[in-house]
Amino acid sequence: MKVFALVDCNNFYASCERVFDPRLKNRPIVVLSNNDGCIVARSNEVKALDIPMGVPFFEQKALIRKHDIAVFSSNYQLYGDMSQRVMDSLRRFAPDMEVYSIDEAFLRLDHLQPRDLIEYCTTIRTKVLQWTGIPVSIGIGPTKVLAKVANRVAKKQTGVFDIRDQKTQDAILKTLHVRKLWGIARRWAERLHRMGIETASQLRDASPVIIRKQLSVVGERLVRELRGQSCLDLEDVQPRKNIMSSKSFGNLLTEKAPMAEALANYAARACEKLRQQNSRAQAVYVFVQTNGFRETDAQYSNGLTCTLTVPTSDTRTIIEAAKFCLNRIYRPGYRYKKTGVMLLDLIPAALEQQHLFADSDQRPGDRLMATVDRINEDHGPDTVFFGAEGIHREWKMRCGSRSPRYTTQWNELLRVS
């Protein structure tokens, strides 16, 4: 029998902040979205205050002051690096692993039987906390869906929960609403409600044929997974076919020059991801848009695709193509909120595409980009960057409450006095 474990970091963003500032222990914490707009992460203390997820920050300021809630801007470099450390720790215990999100991973544990899996997962939890400072909860089940359910219970109890026993499954699924199940969106929950299916146990006991007609083959798989029939195995990470990099500006922009700087920066980030998966792009798409919520402003949005003569992962070429697109679609007289770049039609770098009328030798550019990537990896992001990305960067997102990037910037290392 297959055995899956879902490892989920507890309140991951808040936990990352607490690792480097012990004064935050037991203090309520919220983390804000890009440009400090909405609340996107909450500690347990904040959840107990009934502050919802996704609400605008300004609407909650009075409550935040009243309860002395610590507020942080999103610190993606810190969170990404801490996630990598957690995942590297997990690989020491279970090489069969699927990184599901920045704070979740599925493990296959069948090769460890007849070992006591609760004891083993407790050890994993202890070691991850010791090595990274991040608390995790682990759910064990015969399928990925049931492991997800077990993880929900683990978070509320001792941190590790095993749901492989049939009686345990019956007791928990009878009290779990279908909208809490992994893979059930709001519309599907409403459809199941009209069918008289409210709980996970009712869905488990429903006819797979009928559920397939109502919710497609995905719904049928969910029914079978709830019955303990494993339909979803660990997935290999497949190279992406497209890569997008886009953010809203910290302030509305009217001039093309700062927009071009932002676009060059986004293109550089996209190219880093492109090289990490060892791919090349065959086309570049650029878009611009104003703020549709500002009804008093004139509205404009546009996009353009530029096909590359030779597929490439060279940031210089991508930036040049992105600026070409921007020059074509930029229109003066508008207050722009956002721009972005998407790398299209990605192919493996090993597929050397020759061109009759252009120099298709990628080796000099590959060596240069590898050097840039290595320097930035060793010394921190943006240690070396392209002049087109700008110096002062007036377009940068607002992040007035961002904590130091303790693990990725030398000048922001934790100081102990």
Side-chain angles (χ1 to χ4, degrees), residues 137-199:
S137 297
I138 304 177
I140 306 169
T143 69
K144 292 173 80 172
V145 170
L146 287 173
K148 267 276 194 179
V149 173
N151 187 272
R152 289 179 58 87
V153 180
K155 283 183 177 294
K156 299 176 181 179
Q157 296 187 6
T158 59
V160 177
F161 189 79
D162 189 347
I163 201 174
R164 287 177 294 167
D165 178 71
Q166 186 63 51
K167 291 183 179 179
T168 303
Q169 292 177 29
D170 293 340
I172 293 173
L173 296 182
K174 284 179 181 178
T175 61
L176 183 65
H177 198 282
V178 287
R179 66 173 176 271
K180 300 294 185 181
L181 285 173
W182 180 41
I184 296 293
R186 179 178 58 84
R187 290 186 178 180
W188 276 19
E190 293 172 352
R191 194 175 301 176
L192 290 170
H193 173 73
R194 291 193 293 269
M195 297 171 61
I197 297 176
E198 300 284 351
T199 66

Side-chain angles (χ1 to χ4, degrees), residues 14-42:
S15 294
C16 289
E17 301 293 350
R18 283 173 169 159
V19 168
F20 298 95
D21 190 351
R23 294 171 300 180
L24 296 172
K25 185 177 181 180
N26 298 324
R27 184 181 174 188
I29 297 173
V30 296
V31 179
L32 307 179
S33 62
N34 292 343
N35 287 314
D36 294 346
C38 300
I39 294 174
V40 295
R42 306 162 297 163

